[in-house]
Amino acid sequence: MEPGFIARQLIKRALTEDIGREDVTTSAIVCENEIGCARAVAKSPLVVAGLFIFEEVFLCLDPAMKTTRYVAEGKQVQPGDILLTLKGNLRSILTAERVALNFLQRLCGIATLTRAYVDAVAGTEAKILDTRKTTPGLRSLEKYAVTAGGGCNHRFGLADGVLIKDNHIWAAGSIAAAVKRARSHAHHLLKIQVEVKNMAELAEALAAGADVIMLDNMNLCQIKEAVAIVAGRVPLEASGNVTLANVREIAATRVNFISVGALTHSAPAADISLLLGATERG
């Protein structure tokens, strides 16, 4: 994935928000044509994601900025490792620093947390999925970061598949009615997933012909019972109350997927610094 129209528009909005009329500090202290060098350095163990947008922030202010990447996307790095170096207009480096780091720290944080979940279920059949619980406007980047961490994407948006949740069931009157309506409306390539909370709803979803079933906030005993009942007839997704402490036990039940909203709504920012090196007059 490389920066596209959406990423560039996000960068422009973020820079406008941060700079306002002028970076008064940098303008006062740094000469207009001064050239600087800087390096992005990991301050904690992390998985790299988003170097392309980090570069693009600086290039928006200085198209002549020279960047060199030292690690690949998805790479695990350690404290002190250099991720990328910059050489270009020093004013541009200082002015773009915070916005560039905000994007990179956010995306690396998501990738790092995702990798922890993926590692926790290694050797099982379960795949770790993200959700739509993303920062408004940043979904494409955040879902990219999940894949950089080794996870898989659930629906990108509402058009990507039918997911019948409790409010849909209430509106339709029953699971069977909701599935019937969805089947008549959706084209033949759209799968229909149904969220269930108990074994009675599981049985109804199976009878209605659901393509995928989401086990919502079920405990381990309930998930194991559901896996036994379904017996491989449709894929099962466990969702709700998933943590690093219990995800391996959930995966051991042999569900196919485990969705984790925390990957995008609660990932801590990765600790990364931008450090200036020697400068020269231009």
Side-chain angles (χ1 to χ4, degrees):
M1 175 179 177
E2 291 297 325
F5 175 78
I6 293 176
R8 286 192 291 273
Q9 293 305 304
L10 285 170
I11 290 168
K12 288 177 182 178
R13 286 200 297 271
L15 286 171
T16 298
E17 175 184 63
D18 199 39
I19 297 170
R21 295 187 305 275
E22 180 187 14
D23 177 358
V24 294
T25 308
T26 298
S27 295
I29 294 173
V30 180
C31 296
E32 185 176 358
N33 295 320
E34 193 164 357
I35 300 300
C37 299
R39 60 196 184 277
V41 179
K43 304 301 289 293
S44 62
L46 59 87
V47 175
V48 176
L51 288 177
F52 58 86
I53 197 165
F54 184 78
E55 292 173 319
E56 191 74 9
V57 175
F58 294 98
L59 290 168
C60 278
L61 294 186
D62 177 11
M65 186 75 64
K66 291 181 172 57
T67 66
T68 303
R69 300 185 197 182
Y70 284 77
V71 293
E73 298 283 298
K75 175 75 172 179
Q76 174 83 48
V77 299
Q78 300 302 319
D81 287 350
I82 297 174
L83 310 183
L84 179 145
T85 58
L86 303 161
K87 183 176 182 179
N89 183 272
L90 183 55
R91 280 191 177 185
S92 296
I93 292 173
L94 291 171
T95 298
E97 174 184 0
R98 183 69 269 152
V99 169
L101 283 173
N102 283 349
F103 278 118
L104 186 61
Q105 290 175 308
R106 174 69 179 149
L107 299 185
C108 289
I110 291 171
T112 302
L113 182 60
T114 301
R115 181 65 56 81
Y117 275 91
V118 170
D119 288 347
V121 303
T124 73
E125 299 174 6
K127 293 183 178 180
I128 298 296
L129 303 179
D130 57 21
T131 70
R132 287 170 39 246
K133 296 175 182 177
T134 55
T135 308
L138 297 183
R139 180 169 295 170
S140 61
L141 294 175
E142 293 182 347
K143 281 184 169 282
Y144 162 75
V146 168
T147 64
C152 301
N153 294 150
H154 207 294
R155 296 185 300 172
F156 180 85
L158 296 173
D160 294 329
V162 176
L163 175 47
I164 299 171
K165 299 173 75 68
D166 55 355
N167 284 334
H168 299 111
I169 295 166
W170 180 90
S174 68
I175 289 174
V179 172
K180 183 177 181 180
R181 292 183 191 181
R183 190 73 69 189
S184 65
H185 177 79
H187 63 72
H188 68 287
L189 295 178
L190 279 181
K191 291 186 179 295
I192 295 177
Q193 182 173 18
V194 178
E195 176 186 273
V196 303
K197 298 187 293 294
N198 52 53
M199 298 310 125
E201 290 184 351
L202 175 65
E204 187 177 357
L206 283 171
D211 297 308
V212 185
I213 295 175
M214 177 186 290
L215 309 176
D216 181 45
N217 286 299
M218 289 190 181
N219 61 39
L220 280 172
C221 290
Q222 290 173 312
I223 294 172
K224 289 176 183 177
E225 183 179 355
V227 170
I229 290 171
V230 171
R233 284 177 284 173
V234 298
L236 290 176
E237 174 186 337
S239 180
N241 297 318
V242 179
T243 67
L244 280 171
N246 66 18
V247 69
R248 177 122 194 137
E249 290 180 297
I250 294 172
T253 67
R254 305 195 71 177
V255 291
N256 306 95
F257 305 102
I258 304 173
S259 55
V260 187
L263 299 183
T264 51
H265 72 57
S266 296
D271 192 0
I272 302 168
S273 290
L274 186 70
L275 305 176
L276 287 179
T279 63
E280 57 190 47
R281 300 286 171 180

